[in-house]
Amino acid sequence: MRALNDEPFEILALSFLIPPYKEVKHQIILSLFFGAMLILGVYNLFIFFFTKDISYLYYVLYIFGILFHQLAYVGFAKLYIFDTENMIRVIKSASIIVAAPVLALGLFTKNFLKTKQYKIHNIILDIFLVLIPVSILFFLLTESFDKYRNVITMLFLVYLMYITLYAALKKNKQAYFILFAWTIFLTTGMLMFLSSAGIFDIFEHIPYLIEISFVSEALVFSVALANRINSLQEEKEIANQKLLIQQQNETQRLAKK
């Protein structure tokens, strides 16, 4: 994900002084994006309260992390939420804003795919989950290596894509649902990384691709989580059926005895 800086905020603030048609259209599209993501976040939060499945909580944290990142990046946070002084603090905390949703997504993947069944891959995943917070602390303490801020995050995204593909090859049904979403997310993340490095300006060539990708990916993940409810219900019914059969067998055994 692209690091935050002052320039996009200043440009956007100046553009609000004269609201031409394109600027109004731009604000409407961004508002629709934030509204859609907020609805998906609240929807999954309610499901978490009902199911108590930690996967939903991790996913909600990811969605709200993405929301905050985009609010700061496109300038909405500076215009409507924070004053200049607080916005400077937000910019200085860019390493947290970028890495936090990715960390939440890693925890979601670990829990959703039940990666403990893949021992070596799960160990590597745990190492990344430790490295991400360490890297956040490191980049908060120094700006000397600021241009490498997103390297570990991007490597982690690539690994999450790999472990999801691996789980799909191992016939993990849950992995089938999120593999497509991961492809969207990873492609968008790579384009943002290239844009941040000055190699390819995604905003000039493919406007709103990031917003469309995030909403599409969030929808697919939400469908996957909805399917998880059905899977959990089926597992519960199978367990109840096995318990009933076991009780019937035990009753018959005692009756014969």
Side-chain angles (χ1 to χ4, degrees):
M1 295 182 182
R2 187 174 178 180
L4 302 175
N5 54 66
D6 285 321
E7 185 178 353
F9 304 133
E10 298 297 338
I11 294 175
L12 190 58
L14 290 173
S15 68
F16 267 78
L17 297 176
I18 304 175
Y21 168 75
K22 289 185 179 180
E23 185 59 36
V24 172
K25 177 183 176 183
H26 175 68
Q27 299 305 314
I28 291 174
I29 292 175
L30 289 179
S31 298
L32 289 173
F33 162 73
F34 289 124
M37 293 293 285
L38 182 62
I39 290 171
L40 288 171
V42 173
Y43 164 75
N44 284 285
L45 183 61
F46 275 109
I47 294 181
F48 165 70
F49 289 142
F50 283 115
T51 64
K52 304 301 180 182
D53 187 340
I54 195 67
S55 296
Y56 288 92
L57 180 60
Y58 290 143
Y59 186 62
V60 168
L61 292 175
Y62 158 72
I63 287 183
F64 286 132
I66 289 294
L67 269 174
F68 187 79
H69 176 277
Q70 290 301 103
L71 280 170
Y73 183 68
V74 303
F76 269 41
K78 183 176 182 180
L79 291 172
Y80 302 118
I81 302 175
F82 300 116
D83 55 24
T84 303
E85 184 178 348
N86 286 321
M87 197 64 224
I88 291 174
R89 294 194 183 98
V90 170
I91 294 171
K92 289 182 178 180
S93 304
S95 58
I96 298 177
I97 297 172
V98 171
V102 177
L103 180 63
L105 198 57
L107 292 169
F108 162 77
T109 303
K110 178 181 175 67
N111 189 269
F112 188 77
L113 296 180
K114 299 178 180 178
T115 59
K116 288 184 178 180
Q117 58 187 308
Y118 317 122
K119 293 184 178 179
I120 296 178
H121 297 81
N122 187 62
I123 291 173
I124 298 174
L125 180 57
D126 287 339
I127 292 173
F128 268 113
L129 290 174
V130 172
L131 281 177
I132 294 294
V134 171
S135 69
I136 291 175
L137 180 62
F138 175 79
F139 288 114
L140 282 176
L141 296 176
T142 179
E143 296 181 358
S144 301
F145 304 94
D146 194 59
K147 62 180 179 179
Y148 303 110
R149 174 186 296 163
N150 298 326
V151 172
I152 294 179
T153 302
M154 291 307 304
L155 290 175
F156 188 40
L157 289 175
V158 172
Y159 185 73
L160 289 178
M161 175 68 179
Y162 163 75
I163 199 171
T164 303
L165 180 60
Y166 178 84
L169 293 175
K170 290 294 182 179
K171 301 187 184 302
N172 186 327
K173 292 182 180 179
Q174 302 295 339
Y176 297 147
F177 286 93
I178 64 174
L179 189 58
F180 176 68
W182 262 122
T183 303
I184 297 173
F185 185 85
L186 183 61
T187 302
T188 304
M190 290 299 296
L191 288 172
M192 291 181 72
F193 179 73
L194 292 175
S195 181
S196 177
I199 298 173
F200 177 76
D201 190 351
I202 182 177
F203 304 99
E204 179 181 350
H205 295 87
I206 318 175
Y208 307 115
L209 174 65
I210 293 174
E211 286 76 17
I212 294 172
S213 298
F214 278 142
V215 172
S216 301
E217 170 264 333
L219 284 171
V220 175
F221 273 127
S222 296
V223 171
L225 284 166
N227 179 75
R228 183 178 176 85
I229 296 178
N230 295 330
S231 298
L232 291 173
Q233 185 64 31
E234 289 177 2
E235 291 175 4
K236 183 178 180 180
E237 290 177 357
I238 292 173
N240 289 337
Q241 188 175 6
K242 287 182 178 180
L243 180 61
L244 180 61
I245 292 174
Q246 183 179 359
Q247 290 174 341
Q248 290 175 347
N249 291 336
E250 183 66 15
T251 301
Q252 292 175 0
R253 185 185 71 80
L254 292 174
K256 289 179 180 181
K257 184 175 181 180

